[in-house]
Amino acid sequence: MALPNKLRERLAQQFIDSLKEGQLPWKACWQKNLPENGITGKAYRGANSFLLSLIAELEGYSDSRWCTFRQASEKGWHIQKGAKGVPVEYWAYYDSFQKKLLSWSEAKSLLDDSIYAERYLQLRSRTYTVFNAHQIEGIPELPIAPSTNIDAIRKQRDTLLKNMDLKYREEGSRAYYSPSKDMVTLPPESNFFDVYSYTCTFLHECGHATGHPTRLNRDLSGGFGSDSYAKEELRAEIASAFTAQAIGLQLTDQQLQTHMELHKAYIQSWSEDLENAPEELFRAIKDAERISDYLIEKG
């Protein structure tokens, strides 16, 4: 098991603190745009995205842009005196034959050659410190993000069901996924407070459905209230947050509370386990990212 670096230590501790305080840490993911690099415009992913969203929520940052001290300096911007940065982790392949770090597109072509990859390619990580735009003097104003297109989201919902080959029905008063029937059941859309709550509940249950053997093949056998059930709930909740964030859903505090209260007790029970084994959190985030990527691709 890899030793924790600055990013992992900070994210694990803030995640645990939030759970102990009765908060669900990924609430921040639903309320903000995807954290992105202020220079390249590239969105941060996985644990980096999770931590930066959480810090933005805690510090009250409304700007989704982050960059390093060096990047800001090269643009003629200035980090405010006394500003505290946030560690992010960057992974890349190092080619010992060419003696350079590769871009992911360069590495992909070389990874197809298993002999070359085994001999020369090494996966390395580096940690960088980034600062939010609120801490940077001289950075241009953030462009106004477009509002959510609800009709487009409904079309994506139907496309997702078709491409996942997933059964779906609206009836009753419960939202759940049945592995044996490979079917998502939701109450009628008209029963929800609004289309946002409906969409996030839908994404959560479809997140469970990605665990089917014909898709991402996770263990879905855990009974209600069991440890494995809580682990699956954690993955589905974070994946739903990642996906809602990616498609631009904006939720009110009341909508968030209504959607997530059901699973709160099970996931809060994780705090002691995560304190003893924080790597489990990163496995959950990694799985949630795979789930979210799958939903976005199919939708």
Side-chain angles (χ1 to χ4, degrees):
M1 181 178 295
L3 292 174
N5 61 19
K6 291 181 180 179
L7 176 142
R8 292 167 186 258
E9 289 176 342
R10 183 162 184 181
L11 179 54
Q13 191 55 55
Q14 298 218 214
F15 189 98
I16 291 164
D17 290 345
S18 293
L19 290 179
K20 287 182 176 179
E21 292 170 6
Q23 301 172 354
L24 291 178
W26 52 90
K27 172 183 174 181
C29 295
W30 255 306
Q31 292 183 310
K32 301 289 189 293
N33 294 324
L34 281 166
E36 64 180 37
N37 185 277
I39 305 299
T40 66
K42 185 176 180 180
Y44 293 96
R45 291 174 56 81
N48 290 330
S49 178
F50 200 103
L51 177 59
L52 294 178
S53 292
L54 180 56
I55 296 298
E57 172 73 8
L58 294 173
E59 297 295 335
Y61 299 149
S62 59
D63 199 311
S64 58
R65 295 171 297 172
W66 301 76
C67 64
T68 64
F69 182 92
R70 179 176 178 179
Q71 287 177 319
S73 296
E74 289 176 348
K75 284 289 186 178
W77 307 335
H78 302 283
I79 307 298
Q80 293 173 354
K81 186 176 181 179
K84 294 183 179 180
V86 181
V88 294
E89 191 176 69
Y90 175 74
W91 288 86
Y93 277 100
Y94 178 77
D95 188 325
S96 60
F97 180 76
Q98 301 184 63
K99 299 189 183 327
K100 70 170 188 175
L101 286 173
L102 305 175
S103 68
W104 283 104
S105 58
E106 291 172 330
K108 188 176 184 301
S109 62
L110 294 175
L111 286 168
D112 292 335
D113 184 342
S114 58
I115 296 176
Y116 186 94
E118 184 176 352
R119 181 175 297 178
Y120 297 115
L121 297 190
Q122 305 163 6
L123 191 58
R124 296 183 177 181
S125 79
R126 292 183 177 180
T127 301
Y128 297 90
T129 298
V130 295
F131 298 86
N132 185 264
H134 282 265
Q135 302 169 293
I136 303 173
E137 298 171 355
I139 190 169
E141 290 292 323
L142 179 69
I144 298 175
S147 59
T148 303
N149 186 325
I150 300 304
D151 289 334
I153 288 176
R154 285 183 173 134
K155 289 180 181 178
Q156 288 174 316
R157 172 199 64 189
D158 296 337
T159 301
L160 176 65
L161 290 168
K162 180 181 178 180
N163 288 340
M164 286 181 68
D165 192 22
L166 176 62
K167 300 182 185 70
Y168 175 72
R169 65 181 179 183
E170 292 186 4
E171 67 174 32
S173 58
R174 292 175 56 225
Y176 62 93
Y177 168 67
S178 169
S180 60
K181 296 180 180 180
D182 193 26
M183 176 185 292
V184 164
T185 299
L186 258 65
E189 184 178 348
S190 59
N191 287 15
F192 286 81
F193 291 116
D194 48 51
V195 72
Y196 299 100
S197 299
Y198 168 82
T199 302
C200 284
T201 305
F202 173 78
L203 290 173
H204 176 99
E205 301 307 334
C206 287
H208 286 310
T210 64
H212 191 272
T214 62
R215 300 180 189 111
L216 299 181
N217 193 26
R218 290 190 311 282
D219 179 12
L220 301 177
S221 62
F224 185 79
S226 67
D227 183 61
S228 58
Y229 178 91
K231 289 182 179 181
E232 175 63 20
E233 286 300 326
L234 182 66
R235 283 153 173 76
E237 277 290 295
I238 296 175
S240 179
F242 280 166
T243 309
Q245 185 187 45
I247 63 177
L249 282 178
Q250 298 292 319
L251 305 183
T252 66
D253 286 341
Q254 181 180 359
Q255 291 162 357
L256 284 162
Q257 186 70 15
T258 300
H259 178 63
M260 295 193 287
E261 188 67 35
L262 179 62
H263 305 301
K264 196 171 188 177
Y266 300 102
I267 295 167
Q268 282 179 339
S269 69
W270 267 50
S271 60
E272 185 175 341
D273 293 337
L274 289 175
E275 229 164 351
N276 296 328
E279 284 298 318
E280 181 58 46
L281 170 60
F282 294 91
R283 284 191 284 269
I285 292 174
K286 184 178 180 180
D287 285 347
E289 188 175 40
R290 288 183 65 206
I291 293 169
S292 178
D293 286 346
Y294 184 95
L295 294 175
I296 292 168
E297 178 188 348
K298 296 297 183 181

